[in-house]
DNA sequence: GTCCAGGTCGCGC
DNA sequence: GCGCGACATGGA
């Protein structure tokens, strides 16, 4: 019943597929998953036609000559339009349009371990739609990582559309599907707690056309203005806005949360607890690349422990 | 049982 | 603008 159509796209070099896929937690949050054995990013995707496909994405090139292969598992015919839509979605997930050369130059100047970044790191994985990233980010606030995964998985299971060849695989729900549900679905069924209202309201605003989240990708919007628009979303505060700015390709702001505070305190303040402003100053030299610098610093710290 | 998490809101000052 | 309590849920 299921057919596989093979597609391939070429990211800008340098590009490290596995580091990019596993750049942060999104890789294991529904409807994404990571195939440990074959090092593939898997994702259930709903196309604009309503067709749901199951994508298996992996590298078929090298860091300097990168290529991404996409195995599209689908039923019926996969139109040319559908194929280009899938390629565009994957290109968005891996930020093909972003240029990291200035950041890499700074890393090169710093020497080790920062120069590791220049081997195609820094492309933090994101979702094909801003809507999905906003909801997932709201689901990371005031909760542990396990709770985030549980809540997003619940949204996908209850409201996401099934892949016909395997009904257990579901895509991230559309704004419309969420808007047409009732509040109790979010609170009582998915158990989103107080976030249920935020997410339901957001879905209604997006579905009605009142709020155009995709418009926030516009590079012409100055970062401070973009931040203001993000903060206007209920459930999005300073931490979530900084996280979303990162997901939108703006790295000026640091996402100050318990992870950030604990890490900076331990690494730079001998366990003493600095003020948030003092903690943020650590990354001031990185200018518009602060978030990436922090993230690599954090990741590098975790890596050394292994 | 108690505390709190990759925080944010609404209020009062 | 800043401080403070409330907030749902489930894991530690």
């Amino acid at each position: 019943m299921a057919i596989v159509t093979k597609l391939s796209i070429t990211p800008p070099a340098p590009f490290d597929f596995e580091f990019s896929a596993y750049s942060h937690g999104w890789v294991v949050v529904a409807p994404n998953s990571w195939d440990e054995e074959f090092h593939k990013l898997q994702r259930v995707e709903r196309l604009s036609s309503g067709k749901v496909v199951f994508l298996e994405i992996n590298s078929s090139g090298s860091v300097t000559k990168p290529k991404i292969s996409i195995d599209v598992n689908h039923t019926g015919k996969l139109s040319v339009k559908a194929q280009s839509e899938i390629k565009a979605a994957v290109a968005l997930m891996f930020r093909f349009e972003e240029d990291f050369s200035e950041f890499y130059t700074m890393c090169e100047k710093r020497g080790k371990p920062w120069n590791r970044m220049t081997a195609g790191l820094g492309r933090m994985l994101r979702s094909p739609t801003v809507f999905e990233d906003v909801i997932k980010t709201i689901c990371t606030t005031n909760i542990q990582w396990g709770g985030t995964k549980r809540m997003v998985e619940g949204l996908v299971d209850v409201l996401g559309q099934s892949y016909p060849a395997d009904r257990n695989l579901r895509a991230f729900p559309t704004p419309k599907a969420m808007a047409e549900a009732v509040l109790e679905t979010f609170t009582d069924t998915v158990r989103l707690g107080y976030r249920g209202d935020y997410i339901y309201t957001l879905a209604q605003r997006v579905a009605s056309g009142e709020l155009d989240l995709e418009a926030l990708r516009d590079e012409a919007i100055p970062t401070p203005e973009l931040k203001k628009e993000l903060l206007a979303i209920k459930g999005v505060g300073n931490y979530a806005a900084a996280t979303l700015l990162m997901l939108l390709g703006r790295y000026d702001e640091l996402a100050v949360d318990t992870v950030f505070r604990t890490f900076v305190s331990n690494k730079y303040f001998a366990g003493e607890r600095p003020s948030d402003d003092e903690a943020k100053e650590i990354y001031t030299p990185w200018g518009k690349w602060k978030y990436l610098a922090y993230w690599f610093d954090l990741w590098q710290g975790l890596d050394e422990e292994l």
Side-chain angles (χ1 to χ4, degrees):
Chain A
M1 186 179 178
I3 305 163
V4 182
T5 298
K6 291 181 179 294
L7 306 176
S8 91
I9 48 178
T10 306
F15 177 81
D16 187 312
F17 173 76
E18 285 196 38
F19 268 113
S20 303
Y22 236 105
S23 49
H24 67 130
W26 264 203
V27 67
V28 290
V29 179
N32 295 339
S33 59
W34 180 253
D35 182 326
E36 292 284 352
E37 189 181 354
F38 298 104
H39 300 232
K40 291 187 292 200
L41 169 61
Q42 303 172 312
R43 176 175 172 86
V44 187
E45 184 72 1
R46 181 191 184 280
L47 307 176
S48 58
S49 64
K51 188 185 194 69
V52 176
V53 297
F54 176 54
L55 309 177
E56 297 183 281
I57 305 162
N58 69 351
S59 170
S60 53
S62 62
V63 169
T64 48
K65 287 215 183 303
K67 187 149 286 233
I68 291 177
S69 299
I70 310 167
D71 287 357
V72 185
N73 298 269
H74 61 98
T75 56
K77 187 173 177 290
L78 193 70
S79 69
V80 175
K81 186 186 172 221
Q83 294 183 24
S84 54
E85 206 177 318
I86 291 164
K87 290 186 200 174
V90 176
L92 271 176
M93 291 174 76
F94 288 101
R95 306 170 184 259
F96 280 21
E97 84 289 358
E98 285 187 36
D99 179 7
F100 292 90
S101 50
E102 182 190 314
F103 176 60
Y104 287 166
T105 302
M106 292 179 82
C107 292
E108 204 62 63
K109 278 186 189 155
R110 283 247 177 178
K112 65 180 188 326
W114 298 93
N115 53 5
R116 276 178 83 177
M117 293 294 291
T118 65
L121 277 60
R123 294 179 184 274
M124 311 267 291
L125 187 71
R126 59 185 179 183
S127 306
T129 67
V130 180
F131 178 68
E132 182 176 333
D133 274 342
V134 172
I135 286 177
K136 286 182 170 176
T137 300
I138 289 175
C139 287
T140 65
T141 60
N142 195 26
I143 198 157
Q144 299 175 100
W145 183 242
T148 300
K149 291 210 289 185
R150 175 190 64 78
M151 291 191 292
V152 177
E153 193 175 348
L155 280 171
V156 170
D157 281 348
V158 174
L159 293 163
Q161 198 176 316
S162 274
Y163 167 54
D166 183 348
R167 292 271 161 204
N168 293 322
L169 299 177
R170 289 173 182 276
F172 194 82
T174 60
K176 185 166 180 285
M178 288 197 200
E180 285 171 354
V182 293
L183 178 60
E184 287 69 29
T185 302
F186 298 85
T187 53
D188 302 347
T189 309
V190 183
R191 305 192 70 70
L192 294 178
Y194 64 86
R195 301 172 192 78
D197 184 44
Y198 300 159
I199 287 168
Y200 187 36
T201 304
L202 176 68
Q204 289 177 321
R205 292 180 63 203
V206 173
S208 73
E210 177 201 331
L211 180 63
D212 182 4
L213 289 176
E214 289 305 312
L216 300 182
R217 292 190 195 278
D218 188 350
E219 291 174 21
I221 306 172
T223 300
E225 190 184 314
L226 186 53
K227 188 184 181 189
K228 249 171 80 180
E229 296 202 38
L230 292 168
L231 288 172
I233 300 169
K234 220 180 212 179
V236 175
N238 267 311
Y239 151 82
T243 301
L244 285 163
L245 284 172
M246 173 280 283
L247 290 165
L248 290 165
R250 321 275 184 124
Y251 306 101
D252 332 41
E253 300 257 350
L254 291 160
V256 178
D257 56 12
T258 54
V259 172
F260 175 83
R261 293 191 182 101
T262 307
F263 171 71
V264 173
S265 161
N266 288 337
K267 179 157 183 181
Y268 297 101
F269 293 87
E272 294 294 308
R273 166 73 194 277
S275 72
D276 287 348
D277 283 343
E278 286 171 323
K280 286 196 276 192
E281 273 179 33
I282 297 293
Y283 299 98
T284 303
W286 292 92
K288 58 187 275 207
W289 301 101
K290 293 184 198 72
Y291 192 107
L292 281 183
Y294 154 58
W295 197 259
F296 178 72
D297 205 9
L298 174 67
W299 171 80
Q300 177 73 19
L302 297 173
D303 196 43
E304 279 168 5
E305 282 174 25
L306 299 176

